[in-house]
Every structure is written in C-alpha cells, then in structure tokens.
Amino acid sequence: MAEAPRLTESASAVFAVLAQASRATRPQLASLAGLSKPTVSSAVAELEGARLAAHSGTASSGTGRSAAVYRLGPVAGAVLAVDLGPAHTRVRGCALDGTLLAEATASRKDAADAVREALAALPEGAPLRSIVVAVGDVTARDLQGSGMRPATAKAGPVFDAMAVALPPGVPVHLENNVNCAALAELHEGAARGRHTFGYLRIGVGVGLGIVVGGQVLRGSNGAAGELARLPYPWDDGREPRREALEEYIGARSLLRRAKEAWADRDGPCPRTTDRLFALAGEGRAAARAVVDRHAADVGRLAAAVTAVLDPGLLVLGGSTGAFPQLLPGVRAELERLSWPTEVVSSQIGDLGTVVGAARLAVARGVQTVTEAARMKD
C-alpha cells in the first residue's frame, strides 16, 4: 500500500468533505468544512500538489461567475469490500467518494478468484487504502498481516482461502455480515431517515443488526445480535442447545417442514425457498400453510427482539426473511405478543452485505488518508 502523503489539518478536513461530496467548488468546500475561503484555497492547492484532488471543470453561479470544481485525484486511491456469503462471494472495489470501480461474484469456494478479478479491474496505480471483509461470524477486533482470522472458527476456513488473494500491507477490517447489511439499510434501504432500528436476517441462519443513534451496536465481545445463541427450546423437560434456534428457524428446516407437510396431490415438493414462496404466492394451500407457520415463527423471534430493544422499526432481510409474503403473519404475531412496532421488508436484498461493507471500507480508506495529517496550520 502506498503511504498517504502527510497533510496539514485543514487539507485533511477538506479531503474528507470532498470525498463525501464527490465534487465541489471551493466555496462549497469552505461551507462543508467550516473553514475560511483562504484556508480552503491553500488546502486545495496542497491536495492538488499531492494529487489527492484534481480540477474537474467549472460550475456557473447565479451571478454568471464560474467556479472551479474539484474531485478526488488519482492518488486518493481505492478500497475493497468482500462479502463471504454462505453460497456466493461478492466483491466491490470503490473510490474514496464511493464510486463503484469494480465488482465480481463467484461461488464461496472460489472467493480468492473473485477478489483477484476485482483487484485487476481497479485503476492502475491507484493505491489500495482499506479492505473490509464481511463474515458470517463474530468479529471482535481489527486484524492485519498474514495471521488474520475471524474471532471464532465458524468462518475461518473460507476466510483463510480468500485471504491469500489480498495484497500485503493493506489494513483489513473484519465485520459481521448482518451488521454490514444493517448499515446498507440505514443509508440506502428501508431504514433511511431512521436512526434506531433492528435488521433481522432470516436465511440459512439468523442474525440481528442493531443500529442505535445511527451506529451499529457491537457489544463488548462483538457478538451483539447473535440470535443463534438465544436459549432454545425453553420448555419443561427440554434442554436448550447452542444454536438450536438457528437450526429450527433456518432455511433448511423450513424446507424440511415443507417436505413433511407435502402430499402427493400437491404436486412436486419445492426444493428451494424461492420455489416454496412462489407456490405460496400462487395460492397453493400446502405452500401457503408452511409459509404462514414460518411467518409466525419469525414473528415470535421479532417479539423477543422487540421486548429487549424496543427498536421502533424492524427490517426483515435474508434469503427467506426478505419475502414480502411474510409481512402480514410477522406483523400479526408481533402485535399479539408485544407492542406496536413497524415491520418492513429489506429494499436492498442480496447486495446488502457488500454494499454495507463498501461503505465501511470507504470510511476507513478516507480515515487512512486524513490520519496522515501531522502538521498543524
């Protein structure tokens, strides 16, 4: 990774607001950064000299005068976001203003190939500032170097297989995949304008992204929202088992229940959740009954979440949770068991995790550059 140039504090501040604005004039930069116009002019000149900012045309004002427009320069660099999903690996490369530069998708086992493909598509010479890897695991701290691993062994093997493709020397941050998806919903999805909400993912597994005051709540062990660890079952004569709730409510059990309930007269039993929900949407009674039961189960889990967090809003996502057909049953069960809470479906879908990871990567990439400020004005 190319070392970021040392910047004055004012140049660092202007760089941060230019990254957020994508393009701006000097007066706009002065307003956004809260700095005087002479200070911004000096900072822009410094950034241009370091090739961290570049001239990008002119803009006319209402008085007929034109002003120079600036964007990030070629040395600002890029970031990489990797979603190590249960079936697919999705990779995005972005500029520090969030512009999409490259993307690749591969099977989970070919994660390293997807990373190499995205890296090869980044602009030549653009330094890589940060990498964020979203894993279906608890993550507790930043890791760097060849010894990087998730906090537990759950996602370890696939992470190790992918990590061989990452360039050395670039800061790597691990984040839980559900937390990343929650960030995507906050900024670009169903929770825009809401600073406190829960993102409830139901798919192969279960998980909860908790956003309070616009920030993801991670907990002291990085394990906030690990719903798989809720005691289940919790009843006379039955001993709770670790991750038994995830096993019960996950997609595999949903398809197993469909198979058990299916009769020959109902036609071929669906082998995928997509097909199951499609049949339910067509009004097939057997499929509708299985989906209704699943909605009630998700509603009970939503009631447990609401009892603890009172989030005001729950966004349902994941390979089964995002189906809008679940909403009526989830809302009804939640209303029966708890207090009024808005429940909506995810608006981002399968891309949510990599979109959120890219946002984190951009923020960390900008931080990498701005932390190079060593001299005071």
Side-chain angles (χ1 to χ4, degrees):
M1 178 186 70
E3 185 177 347
R6 291 189 173 188
L7 301 172
T8 59
E9 288 185 349
S10 57
S12 177
V14 170
F15 180 86
V17 297
L18 182 57
Q20 187 170 18
S22 185
R23 283 172 171 75
T25 63
R26 291 186 188 188
Q28 288 170 335
L29 290 171
S31 176
L32 291 169
L35 299 172
S36 68
K37 290 182 180 179
T39 299
V40 167
S41 293
S42 176
V44 168
E46 181 182 345
L47 293 173
E48 282 190 288
R51 301 181 70 206
L52 288 170
H55 189 265
S56 181
T58 58
S60 298
S61 68
T63 61
R65 300 178 62 182
S66 61
V69 177
Y70 295 90
R71 58 174 172 77
L72 296 184
V75 175
V79 298
L80 198 71
V82 183
D83 168 21
L84 293 178
H88 298 94
T89 296
R90 293 180 173 87
V91 186
R92 283 194 167 193
C94 296
L96 294 195
D97 62 0
T99 300
L100 181 64
L101 301 174
E103 58 185 340
T105 302
S107 66
R108 183 178 171 91
K109 66 181 180 63
D110 294 324
D113 292 337
V115 170
R116 293 188 186 99
E117 181 182 342
L119 287 172
L122 293 178
E124 187 175 356
L128 194 61
R129 300 296 186 189
S130 177
I131 300 170
V132 169
V133 181
V135 296
D137 199 355
V138 175
T139 61
R141 65 195 196 292
D142 290 350
L143 301 171
Q144 294 186 35
S146 59
M148 317 176 282
R149 286 186 64 84
T152 72
K154 187 175 181 180
V158 67
F159 180 84
D160 290 342
M162 178 278 304
V164 300
L166 298 178
V170 181
V172 176
H173 174 73
L174 302 184
E175 183 56 271
N176 178 265
N177 56 359
V178 180
N179 288 344
C180 288
L183 284 173
E185 295 292 344
L186 171 65
H187 293 286
E188 303 178 37
R192 278 176 295 185
R194 306 289 287 268
H195 299 292
T196 298
F197 70 96
Y199 170 77
L200 182 57
R201 172 174 283 184
I202 309 292
V204 175
V206 297
L208 177 68
I210 306 166
V211 176
V212 178
Q215 301 294 319
V216 170
L217 179 66
R218 292 178 174 85
S220 61
N221 294 299
E226 285 294 307
L227 298 181
R229 296 298 178 92
L230 284 174
Y232 180 87
W234 199 349
D235 199 359
D236 291 341
R238 295 197 292 175
E239 188 73 15
R241 294 182 292 105
R242 180 178 290 187
E243 299 184 355
L245 175 62
E246 185 170 71
E247 178 183 328
Y248 169 78
I249 208 169
R252 294 186 184 92
S253 291
L254 174 61
L255 291 174
R256 175 184 52 77
R257 284 192 286 273
K259 185 176 180 180
E260 291 172 351
W262 219 258
D264 292 340
R265 65 177 180 275
D266 297 319
C269 181
R271 296 185 177 182
T272 67
T273 54
D274 285 350
R275 181 58 179 160
L276 174 64
F277 278 86
L279 291 174
E282 294 171 4
R284 299 283 287 273
R288 185 71 259 173
V290 174
V291 168
D292 286 348
R293 174 181 170 182
H294 190 58
D297 287 337
V298 174
R300 290 163 190 167
L301 182 57
V305 168
T306 301
V308 176
L309 296 179
D310 186 21
L313 170 68
L314 283 175
V315 179
L316 299 184
S319 60
T320 62
F323 280 100
Q325 292 148 297
L326 288 179
L327 283 177
V330 172
R331 289 167 173 165
E333 192 70 359
L334 179 57
E335 183 178 3
R336 185 179 74 85
L337 295 172
S338 192
W339 44 81
T341 301
E342 185 180 358
V343 184
V344 298
S345 298
S346 166
Q347 293 182 358
I348 300 180
D350 293 342
L351 293 178
T353 296
V354 75
V355 167
R359 277 194 163 271
L360 279 176
V362 165
R364 287 182 169 270
V366 171
Q367 185 179 21
T368 297
V369 175
T370 56
E371 283 183 349
R374 293 291 185 269
M375 300 177 293
K376 292 188 176 181
D377 297 321

